[in-house]
Amino acid sequence: MRAAIVVLSFALGMLFSAPAHGAERCGDLAGDEEALAFVWSALDAACGCAPAPQKDWKSAYRAFSACAKSVVAQAIEDGNARAKCRSTLLRGIRRSTCARPEEWTTCCLTNRRGRTSCRLRKHADRCVSTASHTAVMGESATCLDACHDVAGEPGGPGGPACEGTGPPTHGLSPQEETLLQLINGHRRSEGAAPVEACVSLNRAAQDHANDLRDRKYFAHKGKNGSEFWERACDAGYSAGCGPTTWMGEIIAGYDAAPQGAFDQWLNSPGHEYILSTANYTRAGIGRACGGPLGHYWVVDFAAAAEPSCE
């Protein structure tokens, strides 16, 4: 039954199947941020990203850099990133704390015009504010995403609050409630009964959304190897242990608004099928913002109603 209920994430390569856009810089097209996150995730998996011993960090960095450049070249050849993004990815490698001594850190500098740049510092105490720049410590290994939220981006210090992004929640935030209404409106139009929010599934979906953001990847399978029904089981949804009921999961990135995430799924046949499957009676929704894609949405569907949903 598992093969029938698992849906794959959309292929990043499809984002670049439209007519050529050779003039746009990296970051100008809607799929660029997702592509950068995808490539960096592949790079991390293939090359590793860990501090190096102080005495031998240069040789460790040379090995990491060679591996990383190979991954970038392959990603561009396979169509998972545009050639215009090559320099951005290579700059991210050079300004990464991967294979550097533990004391090294990323430093995010914001000038008076609100423009943010990223620098690598050999010691945390060298990330300091000046008369012309405000400095903030980066929270990740690479400048590709360490400074994403510094200059008032959604979820950052100067941006709007993102509800439902803390520890896994029991209820739904207003944004998540809106998404549930959109899902049920579509289900009614397709002749399927609406789904009800389920506390344990909310918990599983929120936990996965947080993990996608915090560990910088985009997939149904967790970084720890978990499948979505296993995460539901761990969150208290007993029918997910096996599973012993029909279940499905859809995920979306980039869009801040519920309508944007919903439209992504509606325009994908595989995801639309999950949205309108009549078997499902319960759903859990999680939303997180920050990280490489800016926003992450997760919806877990299930057929069985059980006490953990109350």
Side-chain angles (χ1 to χ4, degrees):
M1 182 168 68
R2 294 182 182 180
I5 58 179
V6 177
V7 292
L8 299 176
S9 305
F10 62 85
L12 286 171
M14 293 176 64
L15 296 171
F16 304 103
S17 60
H21 296 275
E24 287 89 346
R25 298 171 301 174
C26 185
D28 285 350
L29 299 188
D32 284 343
E33 281 196 60
E34 296 172 55
L36 292 174
F38 175 83
V39 175
W40 189 265
S41 178
L43 186 154
D44 187 14
C47 309
C49 181
Q54 178 72 44
K55 293 182 179 180
D56 195 34
W57 74 265
K58 290 185 179 180
S59 59
Y61 176 73
R62 282 195 293 270
F64 168 78
S65 181
C67 175
K69 289 176 181 178
S70 175
V71 171
V72 169
Q74 189 64 50
I76 292 172
E77 181 179 337
D78 292 344
N80 286 325
R82 295 192 298 134
K84 287 283 186 180
C85 290
R86 186 190 306 273
S87 61
T88 300
L89 287 161
L90 295 180
R91 184 167 60 251
I93 294 167
R94 290 194 300 272
R95 294 182 179 178
S96 166
T97 58
C98 301
R100 308 279 193 173
E102 289 188 2
E103 297 81 8
W104 290 37
T105 186
T106 51
C107 184
C108 307
L109 305 172
T110 305
N111 65 20
R112 293 172 179 173
R113 295 183 178 180
R115 295 180 179 176
T116 300
S117 59
C118 189
R119 297 290 182 270
L120 200 59
R121 295 289 186 253
K122 293 184 178 181
H123 297 282
D125 58 8
R126 294 187 180 180
C127 183
V128 295
S129 299
T130 65
S132 58
H133 288 82
T134 300
V136 179
M137 292 283 290
E139 295 182 355
S140 65
T142 170
C143 290
L144 284 176
D145 56 89
C147 301
H148 180 78
D149 292 332
V150 170
E153 294 285 344
C162 183
E163 300 175 22
T165 61
T169 53
H170 288 213
L172 296 179
S173 71
Q175 292 271 19
E176 293 163 348
E177 285 280 6
T178 298
L179 180 59
L180 183 63
Q181 293 171 14
L182 289 170
I183 290 171
N184 281 334
H186 178 68
R187 290 177 63 83
R188 291 188 186 95
S189 71
E190 295 296 312
V195 291
E196 297 180 16
C198 171
V199 168
S200 54
L201 293 178
N202 288 343
R203 191 181 302 122
Q206 183 66 59
D207 188 57
H208 191 49
N210 289 351
D211 198 52
L212 293 175
R213 174 197 61 198
D214 297 341
R215 302 180 72 176
K216 306 173 188 67
Y217 69 107
F218 190 72
H220 293 290
K221 184 184 285 290
K223 279 279 192 176
N224 62 357
S226 64
E227 303 289 356
F228 62 83
W229 59 86
E230 295 170 332
R231 294 190 293 271
C233 174
D234 291 342
Y237 184 74
S238 60
C241 306
T244 60
T245 187
W246 284 96
M247 295 188 69
E249 179 177 86
I250 53 179
I251 62 177
Y254 190 75
D255 280 293
Q259 185 70 56
F262 177 74
D263 288 344
Q264 284 190 44
W265 297 322
L266 201 61
N267 293 322
S268 167
H271 294 84
E272 192 279 332
Y273 174 79
I274 296 293
L275 285 173
S276 56
T277 296
N279 291 22
Y280 299 137
T281 68
R282 297 294 183 271
I285 300 176
R287 172 179 178 249
C289 46
L293 301 189
H295 291 82
Y296 299 82
W297 295 87
V298 178
V299 185
D300 288 328
F301 292 93
E306 62 171 53
S308 72
C309 288
E310 302 303 324

